[in-house]
Amino acid sequence: MSKDVIRIDSVDKVFTTNGSKKKRSSLQVLADFSISVKEGELFCLLGPSGCGKSTILRIIAGLESPTTGDVWVYGRSVSDVHDMLGMVFQEPTLLPWRTIEGNVYFGLEERRVPKAERKEKVSEYLELVGLEGFEHHYPQQLSGGMRQRAALAATLANKPKVLLLDEPFGALDALTRLVMQQELLRILERAQLTVVLVTHSIDEAVFLADRIAIVSPRPGKVESTIVVDIPRPRDRTDPRFAKLSQEIFELVVGEAGPNGNGVGRKDPASEKAMAGGLALK
Amino acid sequence: MSSEDLRPKVYSVFGAVNQRVPIGTLIILLLLFAIWNGLSRFGIVPDYVLASPASFMESLSEAIRSGELFGHMIASLQRVFVGFTIAMFVAVPTGVLMGWSPSVGRTLNPIVEALRPVSSFAYVPIGMMIFGLGFTLNAFVVYIASFFPILINTIQGVRGTEKRILEFAKLQGARPKSMLFKVALPSALPSILTGLRVGMGIAWMSIIATEMIGAKSGLGFLIYNSAWQLEMGLILVGVMAIAVIGLALNRLFLLIERKALSWRDHLVAG
Ligand SMILES: Nc1ncnc2c1ncn2[C@@H]1O[C@H](COP(=O)(O)OP(=O)(O)O)[C@@H](O)[C@H]1O
Ligand SMILES: [Mg+2]
């Protein structure tokens, strides 16, 4: 449990807009960004939008390369997209000309999973994310949340060892969001995975994470890492839950400064009350 | 089917295919017919300039009965078919290559941009020297005319593949060949099919013009020759046949697009 699966060592990322030489401008998105994620851990990156959370996930996935610094996954320096990694984008993405079933098939085809196994796997993973009965629908026929689950099924079917989730519930309403958080924990229980999850919700981070890294805005940098040692299944009415949320809120407000945009967009008190009222299990 | 019932109400992207002709259009057509009838009935426009509806009908039934109209139609369609098919088989792969490989695109683009604005009829004299008058010359001009719309749309379609979708495929483990054949190509298909439809439209326009100089048959030859023979009714018959076939070809291509892109048809209402 103590082996580092992901190590990010003082990564800087500077985006340079292309254009004529004079008009060219650069934006530093990440500065001296370092984290390490242990095997089997659910690690949350918490920060306001625009602080570079998606960028760091894309760097881990090998879709983007750091300007300086190093990224290792299972001890290997990341230089390109890697088979052990799966990622679900912030914006639900699927192949629009394939059905939901066809989208899950895609990765299996490409990985040359024997034909006989494919059908079985497709229904297994669609059932896992609760999309049975929608096999023959096209992505356009589903809601954003359903598409997100389909993308998760397609990703999980490839049996990655590391799963990167970029605000997977960002597009959902507050109620569905609570249900999906429970669902995610249930799904993860069955798949042995190391997870990095990006969110801007304190409540979500405290409910899901083993550890939380608080990312400060512009340029993104890990300000502090918090261990969440509330036993599972977690209960939002637990006093420890409220206490930790409050502590993180204060940390974040401290980070953002008087004119910064804090992480906790919603009033944390009201969100807590709501969760308490629902008290899932 | 239960999955049918679950489907939300959909709007067709290709409404044009199954739309009925609006009543206003019919009224305008009737009005035009009345004007045409009036112009010739009251001798405002003489019969040797514009045939009267009566002489048009006479020419039409004669042209159908003798098989002359049918013969010319087949001649034009054959030339278009051959020229267009070859253009498709050359332009689509070339466009895919130019759109997919930046270096191929950069290398060939200046040549394409230089040749594209040249009217296909500018090739008639060269074609005449090489092929002489006849089938090959006409098919050659059709080839040139339809080549560029197909090429340009294919390039744009392949290049326009969303980055997000390419990244999704890559993360799913897509092999390099699949990135092109299973991702970029299906994504470019709507644009390629549009290119084919536009290319066919231009092919049909150009065959008529070419046949006026470069053929002894075909609808272009028919209307040009009728003018020399002062057969005004037959000119109108030719024009009508050109319009009807052009319309039918366009519909055929829209139908193919609709069938091939049915996944796009499931747009959720609202
Ligand atoms: N490819 C890119 N080119 C230029 N700027 C980018 C690019 N990707 C992201 N950015 C910028 O980097 C900053 C951080 O973006 P992102 O990582 O998406 O933040 P977050 O996910 O935390 O909201 C934003 O200001 C964004 O505009
Ligand atoms: Mg983001």
Side-chain angles (χ1 to χ4, degrees):
Chain A
M1 277 300 270
S2 61
K3 202 173 110 198
D4 280 349
V5 169
I6 301 172
R7 271 192 54 203
I8 299 174
D9 232 14
S10 42
V11 160
D12 281 27
K13 180 69 186 178
V14 179
F15 283 114
T16 308
T17 58
N18 42 14
S20 65
K21 252 185 188 155
K22 276 181 194 165
K23 281 185 185 166
R24 205 170 287 174
S25 67
S26 55
L27 175 73
Q28 176 151 24
V29 176
L30 299 170
D32 196 22
F33 192 102
S34 304
I35 52 169
S36 55
V37 181
K38 297 187 187 73
E39 182 140 49
E41 191 173 37
L42 203 167
F43 192 92
C44 265
L45 292 171
L46 176 69
S49 38
C51 74
K53 303 183 299 295
S54 294
T55 305
I56 196 70
L57 277 202
R58 290 171 57 78
I59 288 175
I60 300 171
L63 293 172
E64 207 92 58
S65 52
T67 309
T68 59
D70 298 295
V71 179
W72 288 277
V73 174
Y74 278 102
R76 278 167 58 177
S77 181
V78 174
S79 57
D80 200 356
V81 168
H82 200 287
D83 244 13
M84 290 191 298
L85 266 157
M87 177 165 174
V88 179
F89 296 129
Q90 186 167 359
E91 207 178 329
T93 305
L94 293 162
L95 305 176
W97 53 87
R98 284 192 176 222
T99 59
I100 295 308
E101 187 179 69
N103 270 280
V104 183
Y105 261 116
F106 183 74
L108 302 175
E109 280 163 30
E110 292 304 305
R111 284 159 208 268
R112 301 204 166 91
V113 172
K115 274 208 173 101
E117 276 177 47
R118 287 181 203 165
K119 186 115 195 134
E120 210 176 295
K121 284 208 157 194
V122 168
S123 39
E124 177 191 337
Y125 283 97
L126 284 180
E127 199 189 307
L128 186 68
V129 299
L131 282 180
E132 61 275 70
F134 291 93
E135 290 86 353
H136 304 299
H137 283 61
Y138 284 93
Q140 289 92 325
Q141 295 173 279
L142 304 186
S143 71
M146 287 161 92
R147 266 180 255 173
Q148 197 68 289
R149 275 187 275 160
L152 181 62
T155 302
L156 288 175
N158 296 325
K159 293 220 169 282
K161 291 190 157 155
V162 178
L163 180 62
L164 308 175
L165 299 173
D166 196 352
E167 301 196 27
F169 313 129
L172 302 181
D173 59 277
L175 279 177
T176 315
R177 197 172 173 138
L178 293 176
V179 176
M180 282 306 296
Q181 289 167 358
Q182 295 266 356
E183 287 287 290
L184 179 70
L185 290 179
R186 180 183 61 80
I187 290 166
L188 293 180
E189 235 167 60
R190 287 171 55 178
Q192 290 297 307
L193 274 170
T194 304
V195 182
V196 181
L197 186 142
V198 161
T199 181
H200 56 238
S201 155
I202 297 177
D203 173 81
E204 186 164 283
V206 175
F207 185 71
L208 295 174
D210 293 312
R211 281 195 300 152
I212 302 169
I214 297 176
V215 185
S216 68
R218 248 170 239 133
K221 187 173 168 38
V222 176
E223 287 300 334
S224 43
T225 308
I226 289 154
V227 179
V228 186
D229 52 5
I230 304 171
R232 300 171 192 273
R234 286 177 190 158
D235 181 352
R236 285 181 161 91
T237 57
D238 188 328
R240 281 175 295 184
F241 196 101
K243 186 163 167 283
L244 189 61
S245 301
Q246 185 60 33
E247 274 170 29
I248 293 173
F249 181 71
E250 270 153 26
L251 269 174
V252 168
V253 172
E255 300 300 337
N259 46 12
N261 44 345
V263 172
R265 281 226 210 116
K266 292 167 199 148
D267 174 12
S270 72
E271 205 175 10
K272 240 167 17 203
M274 196 176 160
L278 272 171
L280 300 150
K281 267 200 274 181
Chain B
M1 287 299 263
S2 62
S3 67
E4 287 286 321
D5 307 333
L6 280 170
R7 268 182 207 165
K9 175 156 172 47
V10 294
Y11 293 111
S12 171
V13 181
F14 308 101
V17 175
N18 39 21
Q19 252 170 25
R20 276 185 290 158
V21 182
I23 192 82
T25 311
L26 288 176
I27 292 172
I28 291 171
L29 283 175
L30 279 175
L31 223 70
L32 286 174
F33 180 79
I35 293 170
W36 174 28
N37 201 17
L39 286 176
S40 46
R41 167 121 350 142
F42 302 112
I44 303 166
V45 177
D47 218 32
Y48 59 83
V49 175
L50 179 71
S52 67
S55 71
F56 165 75
M57 288 310 293
E58 201 178 300
S59 304
L60 179 63
S61 62
E62 173 52 33
I64 291 173
R65 198 172 336 114
S66 66
E68 190 188 4
L69 181 61
F70 189 68
H72 288 303
M73 271 163 53
I74 292 300
S76 295
L77 281 170
Q78 272 176 342
R79 291 163 187 154
V80 164
F81 181 77
V82 170
F84 176 82
T85 307
I86 297 173
M88 177 171 79
F89 280 111
V90 178
V92 171
T94 309
V96 168
L97 219 64
M98 286 179 70
W100 190 241
S101 156
S103 64
V104 175
R106 264 196 308 274
T107 311
L108 294 183
N109 200 47
I111 303 170
V112 169
E113 286 307 310
L115 292 180
R116 191 161 68 111
V118 180
S119 161
S120 54
F121 307 121
Y123 294 89
V124 171
I126 306 170
M128 255 160 47
M129 305 308 283
I130 303 172
F131 307 115
L133 293 184
F135 190 95
T136 319
L137 170 68
N138 294 285
F140 170 69
V141 173
V142 166
Y143 168 82
I144 301 276
S146 48
F147 184 83
F148 289 101
I150 302 174
L151 180 77
I152 302 298
N153 278 282
T154 304
I155 296 172
Q156 276 175 358
V158 172
R159 254 189 222 156
T161 310
E162 271 184 80
K163 189 179 162 211
R164 212 156 56 83
I165 288 180
L166 289 170
E167 288 180 344
F168 168 81
K170 208 168 174 208
L171 283 163
Q172 291 295 306
R175 284 168 271 143
K177 213 175 85 188
S178 306
M179 291 295 283
L180 176 57
F181 289 105
K182 288 189 185 175
V183 184
L185 266 188
S187 160
L189 192 61
S191 186
I192 295 174
L193 290 176
T194 302
L196 291 174
R197 178 162 48 84
V198 173
M200 177 51 89
I202 294 179
W204 186 243
M205 283 196 253
S206 67
I207 189 65
I208 304 304
T210 324
E211 285 168 344
M212 293 191 189
I213 339 165
K216 290 275 166 272
S217 63
L219 291 171
F221 168 79
L222 173 71
I223 55 177
Y224 196 65
N225 196 47
S226 303
W228 288 109
Q229 315 280 328
L230 295 180
E231 295 227 45
M232 292 310 159
L234 209 50
I235 292 184
L236 288 188
V237 168
V239 169
M240 187 207 65
I242 291 164
V244 168
I245 293 173
L247 205 67
L249 286 173
N250 194 54
R251 290 240 157 172
L252 175 72
F253 275 75
L254 281 173
L255 206 72
I256 294 171
E257 279 178 54
R258 194 162 100 133
K259 283 268 178 272
L261 305 177
S262 62
W263 55 269
R264 281 211 314 198
D265 240 354
H266 302 292
L267 296 181
V268 178

